[in-house]
């Protein structure tokens, strides 16, 4: 197995600090038969993701979010331009396994990504494929299951677990490959609120404590608000890209892209429309409450002075 | 209701039979079946019965459970026995109309029934004491030499493991589809056998479509986790033969040898 190069090592280049670099990425789904035309998804899309960052990708259905995600670990290959992950070109077939090992992927439906009917054997699936020695698989599996908080369920059958638990098993199955980046394609769409919280908590911990790059594709504005960076996609192009508070404060743009904004931003936005001077950057409930409190205090003072 | 269906039922436990390597158990079952077909005399049958009873007593499987497993095949056993009674030539005991019951017929019918019953009990004892995963692993490793003649052993074992994994998922899905169709007025309980079979179509079509979709998603998920066939694959759980496995195989071979010797000497 090829070892990732460290800074200072021979052959190391600055590109390796970027988790993903998409340059002039063009992609079209090939035509199903001769009468139909191919479906273009992106043209000339440029994107860079820093190692260790937490990026949320938003966009309405059919805007190309999932297709973009599948470009990052060579499930789909660009029809024009290039995608490089950690300096490796995804269209280089010799690097395929290494690309997939470094960029793990978790999908929407936990049932359809669990391979084995024993939890620990499922988590062991990826390291087994990579030819990791059995003793090391054991340690990796135990560690991955402890990370997602499912160690005590290691011998259960997946169909007896809840959706959130199954999704955490799927995440453990990816962690066991020791990836540098995890792409999650709407991982919480089929989960109940508790399962959703558990999965997001796990993902955040991975990002903070282990420095794993997280690319989270989601429909939920609250989830996107947790990220360091939010990318809004519309019709296969990037509409907005920046810090969550900066992106969400462009309320009109978000609505045009067919998206809502977090409830807190929506509230401040509506108040602004009524003529109150409030900042739109308060995203969390606490920050929003704080802003409102200060504003009300200020208003009180003004009235007292008058 | 569909959750009651059990396929390849397994009773977890920690008996000697559970601890044996799945490969050992598979070999023993093959040896046992071979011995059953070689056995012809009372003595050799007695040896086989003793072997079966010994195996059952070494497991936590109840005789009642094993006897119940014969039930679905009772008709086959009865038909086989009847055919043997009526069609074996020899010394006549009773004769009426076209039927001719002979002494030899009764004997061979009894033997045939005993053979089938013991065959079923032996194989069920294997699935009752071996988890499906262990069984698939065992089969894969035992059949490994066949890879040389291009038999896709790993792929077959993988398919079997995935099928086992998805049985509960698909049963759950069938239940859901049935409820959904019932909610729209579908009727699965009345009418003759043809009407009922026809009523199953609205269940099978969505079930098939969703299975294909699942298969597609699973394939992508497997690729994402670096699956690229059996080549260079390692395993979390390695199978190792223990002393007890060698003893068990030696004992099985001894029984087979005994049965062969008994047959050669015509006892």
């Amino acid at each position: 197995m090829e070892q990732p190069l460290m800074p200072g090592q021979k052959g190391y280049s600055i590109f390796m600090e970027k988790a993903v670099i998409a340059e002039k990425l063009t992609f079209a789904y090939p035509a199903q038969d001769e009468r139909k035309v191919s479906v273009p998804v992106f043209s000339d899309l440029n994107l860079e993701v820093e190692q260790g960052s937490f990026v949320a990708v938003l966009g309405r259905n059919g805007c190309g979010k999932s297709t973009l995600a599948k470009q990052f670990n060579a499930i789909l290959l660009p029809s024009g331009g290039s995608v490089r992950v950690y300096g490796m070109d995804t269209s280089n077939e010799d690097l395929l396994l290494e690309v997939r090992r470094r960029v793990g992927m978790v999908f929407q439906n936990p049932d359809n990504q669990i391979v084995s009917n024993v939890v620990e054997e499922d988590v062991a699936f990826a390291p087994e494929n990579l030819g990791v020695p059995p003793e090391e698989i054991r340690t990796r599996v135990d560690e991955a299951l402890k990370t997602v908080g499912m160690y005590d369920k290691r011998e259960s059958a997946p169909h007896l677990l809840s959706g959130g638990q199954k999704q955490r098993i799927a995440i453990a199955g990816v962690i066991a490959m020791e990836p540098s980046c995890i792409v999650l394609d709407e991982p919480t769409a089929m989960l109940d609120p508790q399962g959703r919280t558990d999965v997001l908590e796990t993902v955040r911990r991975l990002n903070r404590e282990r420095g794993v790059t997280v690319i989270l594709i989601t429909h939920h504005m609250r989830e996107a608000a947790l990220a360091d960076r939010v990318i809004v996609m519309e019709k296969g192009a990037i509409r907005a890209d920046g810090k969550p508070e900066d992106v969400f404060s462009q309320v009109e743009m978000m609505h045009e892209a067919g998206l809502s904004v977090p409830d807190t931003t929506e509230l401040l936005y509506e108040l602004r429309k009524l003529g109150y001077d409030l900042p739109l950057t308060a995203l969390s409930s606490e920050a929003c409450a704080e802003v409102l409190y200060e504003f009300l205090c200020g208003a009180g003072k003004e009235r007292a002075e008058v | 209701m569909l959750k009651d269906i059990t396929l390849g039922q397994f009773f977890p436990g920690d008996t000697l039979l559970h601890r044996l390597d799945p490969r050992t158990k598979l070999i023993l079952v093959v040896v046992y079946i071979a011995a059953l077909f070689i056995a012809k005399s009372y003595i050799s049958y007695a040896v086989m019965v003793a072997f079966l009873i010994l195996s059952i007593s070494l497991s936590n499987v109840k005789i009642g459970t094993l006897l119940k497993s014969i039930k679905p095949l009772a008709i086959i056993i009865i038909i086989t026995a009847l055919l043997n009674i009526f069609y074996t030539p020899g010394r006549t005991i009773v004769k009426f109309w076209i039927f001719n019951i002979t002494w030899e017929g009764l004997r061979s019918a009894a033997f045939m029934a005993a053979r089938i019953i013991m065959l079923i009990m032996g194989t069920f004892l294997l699935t009752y004491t071996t988890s499906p995963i262990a069984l698939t692993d065992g089969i894969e490793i035992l059949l490994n030499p066949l890879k040389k003649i291009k038999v896709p052993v790993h792929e077959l074992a993988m398919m079997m493991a995935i099928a086992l994994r998805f049985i509960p998922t698909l049963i759950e899905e069938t239940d859901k589809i049935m409820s959904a169709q019932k909610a729209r007025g579908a009727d699965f309980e009345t009418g003759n056998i043809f009407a009922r079979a026809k009523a199953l179509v609205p269940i099978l079509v969505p079930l098939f479509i969703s299975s294909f979709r699942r298969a597609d998603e699973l394939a992508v998920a497997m690729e994402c986790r670096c699956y690229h066939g059996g080549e260079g694959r390692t395993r979390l759980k390695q199978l190792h033969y223990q002393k007890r496995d060698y003893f068990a195989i030696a004992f099985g071979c001894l029984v087979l040898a005994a049965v062969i010797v008994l047959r050669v000497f015509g006892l």
Side-chain angles (χ1 to χ4, degrees):
Chain A
M1 188 63 50
E2 190 188 327
Q3 281 296 312
L5 294 163
M6 291 296 142
Q9 234 173 321
K10 204 182 154 202
Y12 177 85
S13 88
I14 191 73
F15 292 115
M16 289 176 190
E17 277 174 14
K18 303 273 187 215
V20 179
I21 302 176
E23 259 179 319
K24 295 195 169 170
L25 169 64
T26 303
F27 180 78
Y29 279 107
Q32 298 280 331
D33 59 65
E34 282 162 24
R35 277 165 297 166
K36 289 180 188 151
V37 285
S38 63
V39 188
V41 184
F42 317 115
S43 61
D44 286 342
L45 185 105
N46 292 305
L47 178 69
E48 282 185 12
V49 176
E50 300 283 337
Q51 165 60 28
S53 57
F54 185 159
V55 182
V57 181
L58 290 169
R60 71 162 84 177
N61 285 339
C63 73
K65 304 180 299 237
S66 298
T67 312
L68 184 65
K70 284 182 182 154
Q71 300 278 346
F72 295 159
N73 69 345
I75 292 297
L76 295 173
L77 293 175
S79 29
S82 72
V83 176
R84 266 178 296 160
V85 295
Y86 297 99
M88 296 176 286
D89 195 324
T90 56
S91 50
N92 184 345
E93 243 178 73
D94 298 332
L95 294 173
L96 188 66
L97 279 188
E98 183 61 11
V99 165
R100 289 194 178 147
R101 186 191 74 76
R102 297 210 61 186
V103 182
M105 200 152 169
V106 177
F107 295 94
Q108 191 183 81
N109 188 342
D111 268 327
N112 297 353
Q113 40 189 332
I114 291 176
V115 184
S116 173
N117 50 4
V118 182
V119 164
E120 60 176 9
E121 302 231 2
D122 182 71
V123 177
F125 182 69
E128 282 178 344
N129 289 334
L130 291 164
V132 174
E135 311 79 56
E136 205 196 319
I137 299 184
R138 184 80 258 169
T139 48
R140 280 196 193 189
V141 167
D142 290 350
E143 206 198 328
L145 282 171
K146 280 175 190 159
T147 309
V148 300
M150 294 293 292
Y151 186 66
D152 51 332
K153 297 270 189 219
R154 64 191 178 281
E155 283 178 0
S156 335
H159 70 271
L160 300 176
L161 302 176
S162 75
Q165 288 173 322
K166 278 188 261 192
Q167 198 60 289
R168 281 190 281 156
I169 297 299
I171 294 174
V174 170
I175 300 174
M177 299 195 287
E178 303 188 334
S180 316
C181 175
I182 299 185
V183 182
L184 301 109
D185 189 355
E186 298 190 35
T188 60
M190 297 178 84
L191 307 184
D192 54 51
Q194 183 56 47
R196 195 174 289 165
T197 318
D198 290 344
V199 166
L200 278 175
E201 192 43 53
T202 310
V203 171
R204 268 177 85 172
R205 234 189 13 252
L206 277 174
N207 177 251
R208 296 238 170 104
E209 290 168 16
R210 299 234 193 152
V212 176
T213 312
V214 173
I215 300 177
L216 175 70
I217 292 171
T218 180
H219 266 318
H220 294 272
M221 299 305 138
R222 288 208 144 265
E223 292 179 7
L226 298 172
D228 311 328
R229 177 178 165 196
V230 173
I231 295 172
V232 177
M233 290 190 64
E234 195 185 7
K235 290 177 192 153
I238 292 173
R239 179 77 193 262
D241 183 352
K243 286 191 178 155
E245 49 271 31
D246 297 339
V247 171
F248 289 134
S249 53
Q250 304 169 45
V251 180
E252 287 90 356
M253 180 280 297
M254 292 293 284
H255 286 169
E256 272 170 41
L259 296 166
S260 62
V261 292
D263 297 339
T264 47
T265 316
E266 189 71 45
L267 172 67
L268 295 172
Y269 174 70
E270 291 298 330
L271 286 170
R272 260 178 95 98
K273 269 208 278 192
L274 295 174
Y276 298 103
D277 182 28
L278 285 162
L280 283 175
T281 46
L283 264 186
S284 66
S285 314
E286 292 79 21
C288 180
E290 189 74 20
V291 163
L292 288 173
Y293 174 74
E294 269 169 32
F295 179 76
L296 290 173
C297 283
K301 255 181 219 159
E302 261 170 46
R303 197 165 291 170
E305 276 163 24
V306 170
Chain B
M1 128 200 138
L2 279 167
K3 285 203 171 142
D4 303 334
I5 298 176
T6 44
L7 281 155
Q9 205 174 30
F10 166 58
F11 299 112
D14 193 30
T15 63
L16 179 67
L17 226 55
H18 281 87
R19 273 178 308 212
L20 280 179
D21 193 290
R23 291 171 293 179
T24 309
K25 282 185 266 188
L26 280 163
I27 294 170
L28 279 179
V29 164
V30 173
V31 166
Y32 170 79
I33 292 172
L36 263 184
F37 280 92
I38 294 167
K40 252 197 157 169
S41 62
Y42 292 111
I43 304 172
S44 48
Y45 265 88
V47 170
M48 292 313 296
V49 171
F51 181 67
L52 182 65
I53 290 173
L54 177 71
S55 311
I56 297 171
S57 62
L58 285 176
S59 73
N60 61 351
V61 179
K62 291 190 192 75
I63 288 275
T65 324
L66 273 174
L67 289 176
K68 249 188 232 157
S69 61
I70 299 171
K71 231 191 199 166
L73 292 155
I75 295 175
I76 296 177
I77 297 170
I78 291 168
I79 290 175
T80 322
L82 285 178
L83 286 176
N84 269 291
I85 290 178
F86 296 129
Y87 289 97
T88 315
R91 287 168 292 160
T92 309
I93 308 169
V94 195
K95 198 172 173 181
F96 61 94
W97 193 33
I98 55 164
F99 297 112
N100 190 10
I101 297 175
T102 63
W103 188 241
E104 281 77 10
L106 277 182
R107 197 185 115 108
S108 78
F111 272 15
M112 189 52 85
R115 182 178 284 167
I116 298 175
I117 290 170
M118 283 164 75
L119 190 82
I120 297 167
M121 284 169 90
T123 43
F124 268 89
L125 200 58
L126 170 75
T127 58
Y128 285 163
T129 59
T130 321
S131 78
I133 284 256
L135 211 54
T136 337
D137 276 2
I139 292 172
E140 180 175 358
I141 299 170
L142 279 178
L143 295 183
N144 240 351
L146 293 182
K147 272 185 189 161
K148 288 216 176 82
I149 53 165
K150 300 251 160 85
V151 178
V153 176
H154 165 77
E155 284 73 8
L156 288 173
M158 194 65 175
M159 282 195 263
M160 203 167 136
I162 289 175
L164 285 169
R165 145 80 185 85
F166 275 92
I167 286 171
T169 310
L170 292 181
I171 287 176
E172 208 175 292
E173 180 137 37
T174 314
D175 240 359
K176 259 189 219 161
I177 297 173
M178 277 178 97
S179 309
Q181 306 289 35
K182 270 187 203 159
R184 287 186 253 167
D187 179 10
F188 303 118
E189 268 110 32
T190 54
N192 60 18
I193 190 152
F194 293 106
R196 284 195 205 187
K198 219 174 156 190
L200 285 179
V201 174
I203 296 173
L204 290 179
V205 171
L207 189 65
F208 264 88
I209 291 174
S210 102
S211 309
F212 282 123
R213 205 195 58 234
R214 275 181 199 283
D216 196 33
E217 278 181 32
L218 181 72
V220 173
M222 282 170 75
E223 277 200 306
C224 283
R225 286 162 78 188
C226 302
Y227 182 71
H228 56 288
E231 219 172 294
R233 226 170 162 259
T234 48
R235 295 197 149 271
L236 169 67
K237 285 187 184 143
Q238 301 283 355
L239 293 176
H240 294 294
Y241 283 121
Q242 308 283 329
K243 247 186 202 156
R244 54 172 173 260
D245 294 300
Y246 295 115
F247 273 122
I249 292 176
F251 185 69
C253 292
L254 203 70
V255 169
L256 179 65
V259 172
I260 293 172
V261 168
L262 285 169
R263 170 135 187 194
V264 170
F265 286 99
L267 281 169

